[in-house]
Amino acid sequence: MEPPECFILLLFKLLSFPTFFARLDSHYQHETIFSRQKARFLACFLILVLFWVPINLTKLYIVQPPEIMRRLTMNFCIFFSALFALRWVSIGRFTLAGNWFSLGLIVPTHLLFYLTPTFLEPLSVAVQQLVTSLVFILISLVFASRFVVFFNFILLIVSHVWFYYHALARPHVLGTLEFAADTLFRDGLFATGFLFILGFTLLHLIETAHRHSEEALKETQSLNENLE
């Protein structure tokens, strides 16, 4: 089956969530409970992103911000990164899915900064870059490998410093405070929602690992008592 057909079928399968997650669990049945939980949370988060991108595109159509092509390209990069990652996590390749999604969020979107010669609303872009970077690095910490996390962290720091000296370190910064404030309001709401979901995911994973370790400790203590 060709890749486009696979992705189309995958989207249709998402309409039946119980069936999708039952098949997802079957691919991770020999993994630890911690790994199964991470795979489920990654799949849920990817589905959320796939629904969020059309909403964000609608927002761009209504707001009509400057540098619209860069913003559209960023959204398409995020969408297809999530789509490919969902395909891989659904067939049991969690590590590849987490790394791909994390890199697909950060690398293309930040490379677009270097390809943009002039920013008409640099304060707005700075706010957007900050809030998305916080979300992206937390996604890396939860779902990606350690090497990818450090790579993404270094790229975010380099992009942050480069953008400041490229667009903000000047006597008169282009753009308006009103547009930057609107960006902070809109993107801040989205970022807060994503951070809450990722934080809740981390909390649940920690609780699951703690509960599983306590159960294992009780079984070991019970076994030792029986042996005595």
Side-chain angles (χ1 to χ4, degrees):
M1 185 177 294
E2 295 297 325
E5 296 177 1
C6 294
F7 294 133
I8 293 173
L9 288 176
L10 179 62
L11 289 176
F12 278 112
K13 290 175 184 177
L14 292 179
L15 298 176
S16 178
F17 287 104
T19 303
F20 173 77
F21 283 107
R23 295 187 62 178
L24 180 70
D25 290 339
S26 68
H27 287 290
Y28 296 92
Q29 58 183 341
H30 301 298
E31 301 289 337
T32 64
I33 187 172
F34 188 75
S35 299
R36 293 198 298 270
Q37 289 290 330
K38 286 185 70 175
R40 269 181 160 257
F41 276 116
L42 178 57
C44 289
F45 192 79
L46 292 170
I47 294 170
L48 176 65
V49 170
L50 291 176
F51 281 104
W52 169 80
V53 170
I55 296 174
N56 199 45
L57 291 175
T58 304
K59 181 201 73 174
L60 293 179
Y61 176 77
I62 295 173
V63 177
Q64 291 292 317
E67 303 146 22
I68 190 69
M69 289 306 300
R70 178 179 63 82
R71 298 172 189 269
L72 289 175
T73 304
M74 290 174 62
N75 277 270
F76 283 119
C77 288
I78 292 172
F79 182 84
F80 284 106
S81 296
L83 193 61
F84 275 89
L86 185 59
R87 169 61 181 167
W88 281 321
V89 76
S90 67
I91 60 175
R93 305 185 68 179
F94 173 82
T95 302
L96 178 60
N99 288 340
W100 172 267
F101 181 54
S102 178
L103 291 170
L105 287 176
I106 294 177
V107 175
T109 55
H110 280 73
L111 286 179
L112 288 171
F113 285 117
Y114 300 107
L115 298 177
T116 305
T118 303
F119 295 92
L120 300 178
E121 292 285 348
L123 283 176
S124 171
V125 175
V127 170
Q128 187 180 55
Q129 184 185 19
L130 177 61
V131 296
T132 56
S133 294
L134 293 175
V135 175
F136 291 170
I137 197 62
L138 188 54
I139 290 173
S140 297
L141 287 168
V142 176
F143 299 119
S145 64
R146 191 166 300 177
F147 174 80
V148 172
V149 170
F150 280 107
F151 175 82
N152 286 337
F153 175 73
I154 293 172
L155 180 58
L156 289 176
I157 294 298
V158 171
S159 297
H160 184 80
V161 174
W162 175 86
F163 183 79
Y164 172 77
Y165 286 104
H166 177 72
L168 298 176
R170 58 184 64 182
H172 302 286
V173 179
L174 298 176
T176 63
L177 289 177
E178 290 79 6
F179 192 83
D182 290 341
T183 301
L184 177 62
F185 173 73
R186 291 188 302 268
D187 291 359
L189 287 176
F190 283 122
T192 302
F194 280 121
L195 287 173
F196 174 80
I197 293 170
L198 289 168
F200 184 82
T201 300
L202 276 175
L203 179 62
H204 184 82
L205 290 174
I206 292 171
E207 289 177 346
T208 300
H210 179 68
R211 184 170 61 252
H212 187 65
S213 63
E214 283 189 338
E215 292 174 354
L217 179 60
K218 289 179 180 179
E219 290 178 0
T220 302
Q221 291 175 342
S222 176
L223 180 62
N224 291 335
E225 290 174 358
N226 293 332
L227 290 176
E228 293 175 358

